[in-house]
Amino acid sequence: DVKVTQSSRYLVKRTGEKVFLECVQDMDHENMFWYRQDPGLGLRLIYFSYDVKMKEKGDIPEGYSVSREKKERFSLILESASTNQTSMYLCASSVDRIETQYFGPGTRLLVL
Amino acid sequence: GQNIDQPTEMTATEGAIVQINCTYQTSGFNGLFWYQQHAGEAPTFLSYNVLDGLEEKGRFSSFLSRSKGYSYLLLKELQMKDSASYLCAVRDDNQGGKLIFGQGTELSVKP
């Protein structure tokens, strides 16, 4: 079974804090993705990575950065959290660009 | 550009059949995915279509017509546990193979 894990299910942070969301997959997948999901807007791609130390901007990268130092780990960083970054954050991974993406359980972030 | 449309919500009765439609407009189409997402949980993969026709997997089937930019997910013998959001996603090779997601269809199964 593919296993994608995320460091926290729920997180509460204050405006201006630096926030780290961690994602780990144990299937040696090349590709990893960060999405956010908001009511009425669906899933939107923030950043993705097709290889170690490689990153590409998705559709809504502003206010976020990522790090992929190891193949199995993809971190999403909010440099200075803002209230409009309150959302459900979902990490996903896939074997390659063609194959199915598998999602982690999600992190529900509240920024006060 | 790209656009994916699916109904916001649907209601059906336990034991019945329901069809959830998805229409898309994308320039680099290379496959369509359906995911199921229960409230507060991660999306889980249901089906994948890249060629025209019907793919059947137990109680779930998915159909694709590339010429019409249309897909549907068919759920048979509905069970209460099928109450969930169903997400349609299209792979766009003109955008590096990214998945473009629809907003999801919230299905409520009533007794």
Side-chain angles (χ1 to χ4, degrees), chain A residues 78-103:
Chain A
L78 286 67
E79 295 290 342
S80 178
S82 62
T83 54
N84 63 12
Q85 292 179 309
T86 290
S87 186
M88 168 72 107
Y89 289 88
L90 289 160
C91 174
S93 73
S94 64
V95 171
D96 56 30
R97 299 186 192 211
I98 305 298
E99 293 298 320
T100 302
Q101 290 184 22
Y102 294 92
F103 286 85

Side-chain angles (χ1 to χ4, degrees), chain B:
Chain B
Q2 68 269 340
N3 194 33
I4 299 178
D5 287 314
Q6 46 181 138
T8 304
E9 51 188 27
M10 299 181 72
T11 303
T13 305
E14 194 176 14
I17 299 173
V18 71
Q19 178 175 311
I20 302 174
N21 296 325
C22 173
T23 58
Y24 63 88
Q25 291 177 308
T26 186
S27 53
F29 176 84
N30 189 14
L32 186 144
F33 296 80
W34 283 97
Y35 285 84
Q36 179 191 60
Q37 186 178 25
H38 286 101
E41 297 183 13
T44 55
F45 169 73
L46 286 179
S47 69
Y48 170 65
N49 296 70
V50 66
L51 300 176
D52 290 351
L54 190 68
E55 295 282 340
E56 295 186 81
K57 195 184 289 187
R59 293 189 299 114
F60 293 3
S61 304
S62 57
F63 171 83
L64 176 67
S65 168
R66 289 173 297 172
S67 62
K68 295 181 180 176
Y70 168 69
S71 172
Y72 67 72
L73 180 69
L74 193 72
L75 291 76
K76 302 176 189 173
E77 300 168 18
L78 279 173
Q79 302 175 11
M80 299 298 288
K81 67 179 182 179
D82 296 330
S83 292
S85 184
Y86 291 86
L87 311 179
C88 173
V90 169
R91 177 184 287 125
D92 187 345
D93 275 0
N94 284 357
Q95 295 193 56
K98 288 191 307 186
L99 288 188
I100 313 299
F101 283 84
Q103 293 187 24
T105 298
E106 191 69 38
L107 174 66
S108 297
V109 180
K110 308 288 186 187

